[in-house]
Every structure is written in structure tokens, then in C-alpha cells.
Coordinates of all heavy atoms in Angstrom, one line a residue:
M1488 N 41.0 80.5 117.2 CA 42.4 80.3 117.0 C 42.7 78.8 117.0 O 43.4 78.3 116.2 CB 43.2 81.0 118.2 CG 44.6 80.7 118.2 SD 45.6 81.6 119.4 CE 44.6 81.4 120.9
D1489 N 42.1 78.0 117.9 CA 42.3 76.6 117.9 C 41.9 75.9 116.7 O 42.4 74.9 116.2 CB 41.6 75.9 119.1 CG 42.3 76.3 120.5 OD1 43.5 76.7 120.5 OD2 41.6 76.2 121.5
G1490 N 40.8 76.5 116.1 CA 40.3 75.9 114.8 C 41.3 76.0 113.7 O 41.5 75.1 112.9
Y1491 N 42.0 77.2 113.6 CA 43.0 77.4 112.6 C 44.1 76.4 112.8 O 44.6 75.7 111.8 CB 43.6 78.8 112.6 CG 42.6 79.9 112.2 CD1 42.0 80.7 113.1 CD2 42.3 80.0 110.8 CE1 41.2 81.7 112.7 CE2 41.4 81.0 110.4 CZ 40.9 81.8 111.3 OH 40.0 82.8 110.9
V1492 N 44.6 76.2 114.0 CA 45.7 75.3 114.3 C 45.3 73.9 114.0 O 46.0 73.1 113.4 CB 46.2 75.5 115.8 CG1 47.2 74.4 116.1 CG2 46.8 76.9 116.0
G1493 N 44.1 73.5 114.4 CA 43.6 72.2 114.2 C 43.5 71.8 112.7 O 43.9 70.8 112.2
L1494 N 42.9 72.7 111.9 CA 42.8 72.5 110.5 C 44.1 72.5 109.8 O 44.4 71.6 108.9 CB 41.9 73.6 109.8 CG 41.7 73.5 108.3 CD1 41.0 72.2 108.0 CD2 40.8 74.7 107.9
A1495 N 45.0 73.3 110.2 CA 46.4 73.3 109.7 C 47.1 72.0 110.0 O 47.8 71.5 109.1 CB 47.2 74.5 110.2
T1496 N 46.9 71.5 111.2 CA 47.6 70.3 111.6 C 47.0 69.1 110.7 O 47.8 68.3 110.2 CB 47.3 70.0 113.1 OG1 47.9 71.0 113.9 CG2 47.9 68.7 113.5
L1497 N 45.7 69.1 110.6 CA 45.1 68.0 109.8 C 45.6 68.1 108.3 O 46.0 67.1 107.7 CB 43.6 68.2 109.8 CG 42.8 67.1 109.0 CD1 43.1 65.7 109.5 CD2 41.3 67.5 109.0
S1498 N 45.7 69.3 107.8 CA 46.2 69.5 106.4 C 47.6 69.1 106.3 O 48.0 68.4 105.3 CB 46.0 71.0 106.0 OG 44.7 71.4 105.9
A1499 N 48.5 69.5 107.2 CA 49.9 69.1 107.1 C 50.1 67.6 107.3 O 50.9 67.0 106.6 CB 50.6 69.8 108.2
E1500 N 49.3 67.0 108.2 CA 49.4 65.5 108.4 C 48.9 64.7 107.2 O 49.3 63.5 107.0 CB 48.7 65.1 109.6 CG 49.4 65.6 110.9 CD 48.7 65.2 112.2 OE1 47.5 64.7 112.1 OE2 49.2 65.4 113.2
T1501 N 48.1 65.3 106.3 CA 47.7 64.6 105.1 C 48.4 65.0 103.9 O 47.9 64.9 102.8 CB 46.1 64.8 105.0 OG1 45.8 66.2 104.9 CG2 45.4 64.2 106.1
G1502 N 49.6 65.7 104.1 CA 50.4 66.0 103.0 C 50.1 67.3 102.3 O 50.6 67.6 101.2
R1503 N 49.3 68.1 102.9 CA 48.9 69.4 102.2 C 49.5 70.6 103.0 O 48.8 71.4 103.5 CB 47.4 69.5 102.1 CG 46.8 68.4 101.3 CD 45.3 68.5 101.1 NE 44.5 69.0 102.3 CZ 43.8 68.3 103.1 NH1 43.6 67.0 102.9 NH2 43.1 68.9 104.1
R1504 N 50.8 70.6 103.0 CA 51.6 71.6 103.8 C 51.3 73.0 103.3 O 51.1 73.9 104.2 CB 53.0 71.3 103.8 CG 53.8 72.3 104.7 CD 55.3 71.9 104.9 NE 55.4 70.5 105.4 CZ 55.5 70.3 106.7 NH1 55.3 71.2 107.6 NH2 55.6 69.0 107.1
D1505 N 51.2 73.2 102.0 CA 50.9 74.6 101.5 C 49.6 75.1 102.0 O 49.4 76.3 102.4 CB 51.0 74.7 100.0 CG 52.4 74.5 99.5 OD1 53.4 74.8 100.2 OD2 52.6 74.1 98.3
E1506 N 48.6 74.2 102.0 CA 47.3 74.6 102.5 C 47.3 74.9 104.0 O 46.7 75.8 104.4 CB 46.3 73.4 102.2 CG 44.9 73.7 102.6 CD 43.9 72.5 102.3 OE1 44.0 71.9 101.2 OE2 43.1 72.2 103.2
A1507 N 48.1 74.1 104.7 CA 48.2 74.3 106.1 C 48.8 75.7 106.4 O 48.4 76.4 107.3 CB 49.1 73.2 106.8
I1508 N 49.8 76.0 105.7 CA 50.4 77.4 105.8 C 49.4 78.5 105.5 O 49.4 79.5 106.3 CB 51.7 77.5 105.0 CG1 52.8 76.6 105.5 CG2 52.2 78.9 104.9 CD1 54.0 76.4 104.7
Q1509 N 48.6 78.3 104.5 CA 47.6 79.3 104.1 C 46.6 79.5 105.3 O 46.2 80.6 105.6 CB 46.9 78.9 102.8 CG 47.8 79.1 101.6 CD 47.1 78.7 100.4 OE1 46.1 78.0 100.4 NE2 47.6 79.1 99.2
V1510 N 46.2 78.3 105.9 CA 45.2 78.4 106.9 C 45.8 79.2 108.1 O 45.1 80.0 108.7 CB 44.8 77.0 107.4 CG1 44.1 77.0 108.7 CG2 44.0 76.3 106.3
V1511 N 47.0 78.9 108.5 CA 47.6 79.6 109.6 C 47.9 81.0 109.3 O 47.7 81.9 110.2 CB 49.0 78.9 110.1 CG1 49.7 79.7 111.1 CG2 48.7 77.5 110.6
Q1512 N 48.2 81.3 108.1 CA 48.4 82.7 107.7 C 47.1 83.5 107.8 O 47.0 84.6 108.3 CB 49.0 82.9 106.3 CG 50.5 82.5 106.3 CD 51.0 82.5 104.9 OE1 50.3 82.1 103.9 NE2 52.3 82.8 104.8
Q1513 N 46.0 82.8 107.4 CA 44.7 83.5 107.5 C 44.3 83.7 109.0 O 43.8 84.8 109.4 CB 43.6 82.6 106.9 CG 43.6 82.6 105.4 CD 42.7 81.5 104.8 OE1 42.1 80.7 105.5 NE2 42.6 81.5 103.5
G1514 N 44.6 82.7 109.8 CA 44.3 82.8 111.2 C 45.2 83.9 111.9 O 44.7 84.7 112.7
A1515 N 46.4 84.0 111.5 CA 47.3 85.1 112.0 C 46.9 86.5 111.6 O 47.0 87.4 112.3 CB 48.7 84.8 111.6
S1516 N 46.3 86.6 110.4 CA 45.8 87.8 109.9 C 44.6 88.3 110.7 O 44.4 89.4 111.0 CB 45.4 87.8 108.4 OG 46.6 87.6 107.6
A1517 N 43.8 87.3 111.1 CA 42.6 87.6 111.8 C 42.9 87.8 113.3 O 42.1 88.4 114.0 CB 41.5 86.5 111.7
N1518 N 44.0 87.2 113.8 CA 44.4 87.3 115.2 C 45.8 87.7 115.3 O 46.7 86.9 115.6 CB 44.2 85.9 115.9 CG 42.8 85.4 115.8 OD1 41.9 85.9 116.5 ND2 42.6 84.4 114.9
D1519 N 46.1 89.0 115.0 CA 47.5 89.4 114.9 C 48.3 89.5 116.2 O 49.5 89.7 116.2 CB 47.5 90.8 114.1 CG 46.9 91.9 114.9 OD1 46.1 91.6 115.9 OD2 47.1 93.1 114.5
Q1520 N 47.6 89.2 117.3 CA 48.3 89.2 118.6 C 48.5 87.7 119.1 O 48.8 87.5 120.3 CB 47.6 90.0 119.6 CG 47.5 91.5 119.3 CD 48.9 92.1 119.2 OE1 49.7 92.0 120.1 NE2 49.2 92.7 118.0
S1521 N 48.3 86.7 118.2 CA 48.4 85.3 118.6 C 49.8 84.8 118.4 O 50.2 84.5 117.3 CB 47.4 84.5 117.8 OG 47.6 83.1 118.1
G1522 N 50.5 84.6 119.5 CA 51.8 84.0 119.4 C 51.7 82.5 119.0 O 52.6 82.0 118.3
R1523 N 50.6 81.9 119.4 CA 50.5 80.5 119.0 C 50.4 80.3 117.5 O 51.0 79.3 116.9 CB 49.2 79.9 119.7 CG 49.0 78.5 119.4 CD 47.9 77.9 120.3 NE 47.8 76.5 120.0 CZ 46.7 75.8 120.1 NH1 45.6 76.4 120.5 NH2 46.6 74.5 119.8
L1524 N 49.6 81.1 116.8 CA 49.5 81.0 115.4 C 50.9 81.3 114.7 O 51.2 80.7 113.7 CB 48.4 81.9 114.8 CG 47.0 81.4 115.2 CD1 46.0 82.5 114.8 CD2 46.7 80.2 114.4
Q1525 N 51.6 82.3 115.2 CA 52.9 82.6 114.6 C 53.9 81.4 114.8 O 54.6 81.1 114.0 CB 53.5 83.9 115.3 CG 52.7 85.1 114.9 CD 52.9 85.4 113.4 OE1 53.9 85.2 112.7 NE2 51.8 86.0 112.8
Y1526 N 53.8 80.8 116.0 CA 54.6 79.6 116.3 C 54.3 78.5 115.3 O 55.2 77.9 114.7 CB 54.4 79.2 117.7 CG 55.2 77.9 118.0 CD1 56.5 77.9 118.2 CD2 54.5 76.7 118.1 CE1 57.2 76.7 118.5 CE2 55.2 75.5 118.4 CZ 56.5 75.5 118.6 OH 57.2 74.4 118.8
A1527 N 53.0 78.3 115.1 CA 52.5 77.2 114.2 C 53.0 77.5 112.7 O 53.5 76.6 112.0 CB 51.0 77.1 114.2
L1528 N 53.0 78.8 112.4 CA 53.5 79.2 111.0 C 54.9 78.9 110.9 O 55.4 78.4 109.9 CB 53.2 80.7 110.8 CG 53.7 81.2 109.5 CD1 53.1 80.5 108.3 CD2 53.3 82.7 109.4
G1529 N 55.7 79.2 112.0 CA 57.1 79.0 112.0 C 57.4 77.5 111.8 O 58.3 77.1 111.0
V1530 N 56.7 76.7 112.5 CA 56.9 75.2 112.4 C 56.6 74.7 111.0 O 57.4 73.9 110.5 CB 56.1 74.5 113.5 CG1 56.1 73.0 113.3 CG2 56.6 74.8 114.9
L1531 N 55.5 75.1 110.5 CA 55.2 74.7 109.1 C 56.1 75.2 108.1 O 56.5 74.4 107.2 CB 53.7 75.1 108.8 CG 52.6 74.4 109.6 CD1 51.3 75.2 109.4 CD2 52.5 73.0 109.1
A1532 N 56.5 76.4 108.2 CA 57.5 77.0 107.2 C 58.8 76.3 107.3 O 59.5 76.1 106.3 CB 57.6 78.5 107.4
E1533 N 59.3 76.0 108.5 CA 60.5 75.4 108.7 C 60.5 74.0 108.1 O 61.4 73.6 107.4 CB 60.9 75.2 110.2 CG 62.2 74.6 110.4 CD 62.5 74.4 111.9 OE1 61.6 74.4 112.7 OE2 63.7 74.3 112.2
G1534 N 59.4 73.3 108.2 CA 59.2 71.9 107.7 C 59.2 72.0 106.1 O 59.6 71.0 105.5
K1535 N 58.8 73.1 105.6 CA 58.7 73.2 104.1 C 60.1 73.7 103.6 O 60.3 73.6 102.4 CB 57.7 74.3 103.8 CG 57.5 74.4 102.3 CD 56.4 75.5 102.0 CE 56.3 75.6 100.4 NZ 55.5 76.7 100.1
G1536 N 61.0 74.1 104.5 CA 62.3 74.6 104.0 C 62.3 76.1 103.7 O 63.2 76.6 103.1
D1537 N 61.3 76.8 104.2 CA 61.2 78.3 104.0 C 61.8 79.0 105.2 O 61.0 79.4 106.1 CB 59.8 78.7 103.7 CG 59.6 80.2 103.4 OD1 60.6 80.9 103.5 OD2 58.5 80.5 103.1
A1538 N 63.1 79.1 105.3 CA 63.8 79.6 106.5 C 63.4 81.1 106.8 O 63.3 81.4 107.9 CB 65.3 79.5 106.3
A1539 N 63.2 81.9 105.7 CA 62.9 83.3 105.9 C 61.6 83.5 106.6 O 61.5 84.2 107.6 CB 63.0 84.0 104.6
T1540 N 60.6 82.8 106.2 CA 59.3 82.8 106.8 C 59.3 82.3 108.2 O 58.7 82.8 109.1 CB 58.2 82.1 105.9 OG1 58.2 82.7 104.6 CG2 56.8 82.2 106.5
A1541 N 60.0 81.2 108.4 CA 60.1 80.5 109.7 C 60.7 81.5 110.7 O 60.2 81.7 111.8 CB 60.8 79.2 109.6
K1542 N 61.8 82.1 110.3 CA 62.5 83.0 111.2 C 61.6 84.2 111.6 O 61.5 84.5 112.8 CB 63.8 83.6 110.5 CG 64.5 84.6 111.2 CD 65.7 85.1 110.5 CE 66.4 86.2 111.2 NZ 67.6 86.7 110.5
Q1543 N 61.0 84.8 110.6 CA 60.1 85.9 110.9 C 59.0 85.5 111.9 O 58.6 86.2 112.8 CB 59.5 86.4 109.6 CG 58.6 87.6 109.8 CD 58.1 88.1 108.4 OE1 58.2 87.5 107.4 NE2 57.5 89.3 108.4
A1544 N 58.4 84.3 111.6 CA 57.3 83.8 112.4 C 57.7 83.5 113.9 O 57.1 83.9 114.8 CB 56.6 82.6 111.8
F1545 N 58.9 82.9 114.0 CA 59.4 82.5 115.3 C 59.7 83.8 116.1 O 59.5 83.9 117.3 CB 60.6 81.6 115.3 CG 60.2 80.2 115.0 CD1 60.9 79.4 114.0 CD2 59.2 79.5 115.6 CE1 60.6 78.1 113.7 CE2 58.9 78.2 115.4 CZ 59.6 77.5 114.4
L1546 N 60.3 84.8 115.5 CA 60.7 86.0 116.1 C 59.4 86.7 116.6 O 59.3 87.2 117.7 CB 61.5 86.9 115.3 CG 62.9 86.5 115.0 CD1 63.6 87.3 114.0 CD2 63.7 86.5 116.3
K1547 N 58.4 86.7 115.8 CA 57.1 87.4 116.1 C 56.4 86.6 117.3 O 55.9 87.2 118.2 CB 56.2 87.5 114.9 CG 55.0 88.4 115.2 CD 54.3 88.8 114.0 CE 53.1 89.8 114.4 NZ 52.4 90.2 113.2
A1548 N 56.5 85.3 117.2 CA 55.9 84.4 118.2 C 56.5 84.7 119.6 O 55.9 84.8 120.6 CB 56.0 83.0 117.8
E1549 N 57.8 84.8 119.6 CA 58.6 85.1 120.8 C 58.2 86.4 121.4 O 58.1 86.6 122.6 CB 60.1 85.0 120.5 CG 60.9 85.1 121.8 CD 62.4 84.9 121.5 OE1 62.8 85.2 120.4 OE2 63.1 84.6 122.5
Q1550 N 58.0 87.4 120.5 CA 57.7 88.7 120.9 C 56.3 88.8 121.5 O 56.0 89.4 122.5 CB 57.8 89.7 119.7 CG 57.3 91.1 120.1 CD 57.3 92.0 118.8 OE1 57.2 91.5 117.7 NE2 57.4 93.3 119.0
L1551 N 55.3 88.1 120.9 CA 53.9 88.1 121.3 C 53.7 87.2 122.5 O 52.8 87.5 123.3 CB 53.0 87.6 120.2 CG 52.9 88.5 119.0 CD1 52.1 87.8 117.8 CD2 52.2 89.8 119.4
D1552 N 54.5 86.1 122.6 CA 54.3 85.2 123.7 C 55.6 84.7 124.3 O 56.1 83.6 124.1 CB 53.5 84.0 123.2 CG 53.1 83.0 124.4 OD1 53.3 83.4 125.5 OD2 52.6 81.9 124.0
P1553 N 56.3 85.6 125.1 CA 57.6 85.3 125.6 C 57.6 84.1 126.6 O 58.7 83.6 126.9 CB 58.1 86.6 126.2 CG 56.9 87.4 126.5 CD 55.8 86.9 125.4
Q1554 N 56.4 83.7 127.1 CA 56.4 82.6 128.0 C 56.4 81.3 127.3 O 56.6 80.2 128.0 CB 55.1 82.7 128.8 CG 54.9 84.0 129.6 CD 56.0 84.2 130.6 OE1 56.5 83.3 131.2 NE2 56.5 85.5 130.7
N1555 N 56.3 81.2 126.0 CA 56.3 80.0 125.2 C 57.8 79.6 125.0 O 58.4 80.0 124.0 CB 55.6 80.1 123.9 CG 55.6 78.8 123.1 OD1 56.1 77.8 123.5 ND2 54.9 78.9 122.0
V1556 N 58.3 78.7 125.9 CA 59.7 78.4 125.7 C 60.0 77.5 124.5 O 61.1 77.4 124.1 CB 60.2 77.7 127.0 CG1 60.2 78.6 128.2 CG2 59.4 76.4 127.3
E1557 N 59.0 76.9 123.9 CA 59.2 76.1 122.7 C 59.7 76.9 121.6 O 60.5 76.5 120.8 CB 57.9 75.4 122.3 CG 57.5 74.3 123.2 CD 56.2 73.6 122.7 OE1 55.5 74.2 121.9 OE2 55.9 72.5 123.2
T1558 N 59.3 78.2 121.5 CA 59.7 79.1 120.5 C 61.2 79.3 120.6 O 61.9 79.3 119.5 CB 59.0 80.4 120.6 OG1 57.6 80.2 120.5 CG2 59.4 81.4 119.5
Q1559 N 61.8 79.4 121.7 CA 63.2 79.6 121.9 C 64.0 78.4 121.6 O 65.2 78.6 121.2 CB 63.4 80.0 123.4 CG 62.7 81.3 123.8 CD 62.8 81.6 125.2 OE1 63.6 81.0 126.0 NE2 61.9 82.5 125.7
Y1560 N 63.5 77.2 121.6 CA 64.2 76.0 121.4 C 64.0 75.4 120.0 O 64.7 74.5 119.6 CB 64.0 75.0 122.5 CG 64.5 75.5 123.8 CD1 63.6 75.9 124.8 CD2 65.9 75.5 124.1 CE1 64.1 76.4 126.0 CE2 66.3 76.0 125.3 CZ 65.4 76.4 126.2 OH 65.9 76.9 127.4
T1561 N 63.0 75.9 119.3 CA 62.6 75.3 118.0 C 63.6 75.8 116.9 O 64.0 75.0 116.1 CB 61.2 75.7 117.6 OG1 60.3 75.2 118.6 CG2 60.8 75.1 116.3
W1562 N 64.0 77.0 117.0 CA 64.8 77.6 115.9 C 66.2 78.0 116.5 O 66.2 78.6 117.5 CB 64.1 78.8 115.4 CG 64.7 79.3 114.1 CD1 65.5 80.4 114.1 CD2 64.5 78.9 112.8 NE1 65.8 80.7 112.8 CE2 65.3 79.7 112.0 CE3 63.8 77.8 112.2 CZ2 65.4 79.5 110.6 CZ3 63.9 77.6 110.9 CH2 64.7 78.5 110.1
P1563 N 67.2 77.6 115.8 CA 68.5 78.0 116.3 C 68.8 79.5 116.2 O 68.1 80.2 115.5 CB 69.5 77.3 115.4 CG 68.7 77.0 114.1 CD 67.3 76.9 114.5
P1564 N 69.6 80.0 117.0 CA 69.9 81.5 117.0 C 70.4 81.9 115.6 O 71.1 81.1 114.9 CB 71.0 81.7 118.1 CG 71.2 80.4 118.7 CD 70.4 79.3 118.0
W1565 N 70.1 83.1 115.2 CA 70.6 83.6 114.0 C 71.8 84.5 114.1 O 71.9 85.1 115.2 CB 69.4 84.4 113.3 CG 68.2 83.6 113.1 CD1 68.0 82.6 112.2 CD2 67.0 83.6 113.9 NE1 66.8 82.0 112.4 CE2 66.2 82.6 113.4 CE3 66.6 84.3 115.0 CZ2 64.9 82.4 114.0 CZ3 65.4 84.1 115.6 CH2 64.6 83.1 115.0
P1566 N 72.6 84.6 113.1 CA 73.8 85.5 113.2 C 73.4 86.9 113.3 O 72.3 87.3 112.9 CB 74.6 85.2 112.0 CG 73.7 84.3 111.1 CD 72.5 83.9 111.9

């Protein structure tokens, strides 16, 4: 799990956001109970301007890891 997040972070920091999103999506597919990967996907998707993907990822991250308070403060409440 940490490897996916690390590679995605490196990709995003070097301007390859689409590649970063793909890496996190692969990690989330392999680890479907990881709130951390869903949170990372939400952050990356929000940065890209993909609100629908970000919303879905943040909601799933909150469900999988309700102790992660960052999830609750990263994305504004939805109507």
C-alpha cells in the first residue's frame, strides 16, 4: 500500500497526475479495504478537477477509515 502512495506522490510531484491516479487506482483495486488509497485517490482527483471521482473516493475513504479526520476536512459537504 505504501508503495502505491509513494509512487503516486512521486508521479504527481513531477507533473504526471494522470499516471499518479492510475497507480492509486491499481492499488485500490488490489487493496479494496484501504481507506488510505481511497483518500489519496480523492486528493489526486480533486487536484485534477475531477469532482465526481474525488467525491466517490472521499466517501469510500471515510467509510473504510472513519478515524481519518483528514477525509472529513478535505472535501466540503455535498448537497
Side-chain angles (χ1 to χ4, degrees):
M1488 177 174 47
D1489 289 338
Y1491 289 109
V1492 173
L1494 180 57
T1496 300
L1497 181 62
S1498 295
E1500 288 178 352
T1501 57
R1503 300 184 323 252
R1504 185 171 300 274
D1505 290 335
E1506 182 179 315
I1508 290 172
Q1509 288 177 342
V1510 167
V1511 172
Q1512 287 174 328
Q1513 289 173 353
S1516 292
N1518 302 286
D1519 63 346
Q1520 296 299 307
S1521 172
R1523 183 170 182 211
L1524 288 169
Q1525 289 297 324
Y1526 175 76
L1528 177 57
V1530 170
L1531 290 166
E1533 182 181 24
K1535 184 181 177 186
D1537 184 352
T1540 300
K1542 176 181 176 180
Q1543 182 180 10
F1545 283 133
L1546 287 172
K1547 188 166 184 181
E1549 185 176 25
Q1550 177 186 21
L1551 293 171
D1552 187 10
Q1554 303 301 320
N1555 181 0
V1556 296
E1557 289 181 344
T1558 302
Q1559 298 170 14
Y1560 295 105
T1561 301
W1562 190 260
W1565 303 284

